[in-house]
Each structure stands twice: as structure tokens, then as C-alpha cells.
Amino acid sequence: MGVTVDVHEVFKYPFEQVVASFLRKYPNPMDKNVISVKTVEERKDVSTGIIYRKRIAVCQNVVPEILRKVNILKVPNIQLEEESWLNPQERNMAIRSHCLTWTQYASMKEESVFRESMENPNWTEFIQKGRISITGAGFLNCVLETFASTFLRQGVQKGIRIMEMLLKEQCGAPLAE
């Protein structure tokens, strides 16, 4: 089966400021579930100017305690891998993320893009598609997917609020039309 989440948000800030805020968004006191984010690889293609980054995030296991009675869910932390390709000339950044934990039972993938808004070049569009599917957990598949769907939707909204707060703190009020 699987659960999908689609997001489209416009930040009324320039691309460069939005990307800088995204890259330092976590860890953050507004989301204590993200314990750490570490850049494990970074390189720049001199011919294209594209900056590639690979980061590993360590997050608290947010699966409800009652579901952690199942052995496979009894881990304290979950690891996510994020790869990004920043193209400063074209003012876009593509991001792919996936879960490194529970890969034999669950698949969590996100694809995101930050790009200059076509509506206003001083604004930035954020588009994200996420999908979670659970297999191999028997009767719990549906329960876990329902929980994951709710958590993912809430997490996306929390992430957008954190971005807006960081942008306002670092850059002031959003840019008007």
C-alpha cells in the first residue's frame, strides 16, 4: 500500500537565504526529535558549479511505546540519509532523502526541490513528495502506515514553521510583492 505526502510552499525570501536556512535548520529546539545532522561528504563540480552534499541525520525513534513491544521497532534512534545538489547559477537545489533504519520492513523516501519562484524572483518555491510504505510487519503494516502518515504530515508542517522562524530571525520580515 503506502502513504504519500505532497507539499508546495512559497517562502517570501530569496533562494540563497532559504537554502542557507535549510542547511542549518537542524538540530533545533523547536524539533527535539532531530538529535544531530552531520555532513559526511561535500564536493563541488568545478565545471558546473553544482555542490553535492551527503548528510546523515539521527532522529529519536518516535514510534509509540505500545508498538515498540514488537522487537524490530525497539531501536532508540533512526538514521536518515540526505543527498542534495545545489546549483547556485540556476538557483535550485534538489534533495533526496531516505531512511537507513528498518530498510527490510519500511521504505521512506522524499524528493524535494527549492527553486526560484516563477511568481517573484525574490521568493523561493519548495516542493516535496514523500512516500512511506511498510511491509513485513504483518497485521501492523496498516497501523504503522497510519502513524507514519500522521507523523510525516505533522513533521512537514513543523519543518516549514522552523524555516519561517529561522528566515525571519536571520533576514527580517518576508519580502512583499
Side-chain angles (χ1 to χ4, degrees):
M1 193 170 122
V3 177
T4 59
V5 175
D6 293 336
V7 178
H8 184 262
E9 183 75 20
V10 175
F11 294 101
K12 294 184 176 182
Y13 293 90
F15 172 79
E16 294 76 12
Q17 292 174 344
V18 172
V19 167
S21 291
F22 172 79
L23 291 172
R24 59 177 179 263
K25 179 168 72 168
Y26 296 116
N28 185 301
M30 283 181 67
D31 190 347
K32 294 184 184 347
N33 292 328
V34 181
I35 298 165
S36 66
V37 177
K38 181 180 178 185
T39 301
V40 294
E41 187 178 346
E42 184 171 338
R43 64 180 183 270
K44 182 176 183 175
D45 184 318
V46 290
S47 64
T48 64
I50 294 174
I51 300 166
Y52 168 81
R53 282 185 190 87
K54 183 189 289 187
R55 304 190 308 169
I56 304 292
V58 177
C59 305
Q60 285 182 339
N61 182 352
V62 295
V63 171
E65 203 60 46
I66 191 144
L67 295 176
R68 288 197 220 175
K69 305 276 186 235
V70 178
N71 240 7
I72 60 170
L73 300 176
K74 284 184 187 177
V75 297
N77 300 323
I78 298 165
Q79 287 194 327
L80 305 171
E81 180 181 81
E82 171 193 276
E83 294 179 283
S84 65
W85 295 264
L86 170 61
N87 187 330
Q89 281 77 27
E90 294 186 13
R91 299 182 84 205
N92 69 52
M93 182 166 78
I95 305 156
R96 276 198 321 238
S97 305
H98 66 273
C99 187
L100 299 173
T101 308
W102 299 320
T103 54
Q104 68 273 38
Y105 303 104
S107 169
M108 189 288 291
K109 296 180 180 183
E110 290 178 344
E111 292 188 4
S112 310
V113 174
F114 286 101
R115 66 182 181 205
E116 179 181 301
S117 171
M118 291 191 276
E119 190 179 339
N120 182 327
N122 290 315
W123 296 352
T124 306
E125 280 186 88
F126 172 62
I127 301 161
Q128 183 177 64
K129 294 184 182 305
R131 179 166 177 76
I132 295 178
S133 54
I134 314 266
T135 57
F139 71 96
L140 285 178
N141 286 1
C142 193
V143 173
L144 290 169
E145 282 183 352
T146 301
F147 168 76
S149 172
T150 302
F151 183 76
L152 192 58
R153 289 177 208 286
Q154 290 172 348
V156 166
Q157 292 308 312
K158 187 187 292 186
I160 288 171
R161 285 194 308 273
I162 291 170
M163 286 285 295
E164 288 170 343
M165 180 204 69
L166 288 173
L167 286 161
K168 195 174 273 189
E169 280 178 3
Q170 295 161 6
C171 311
L175 298 171
E177 314 261 342

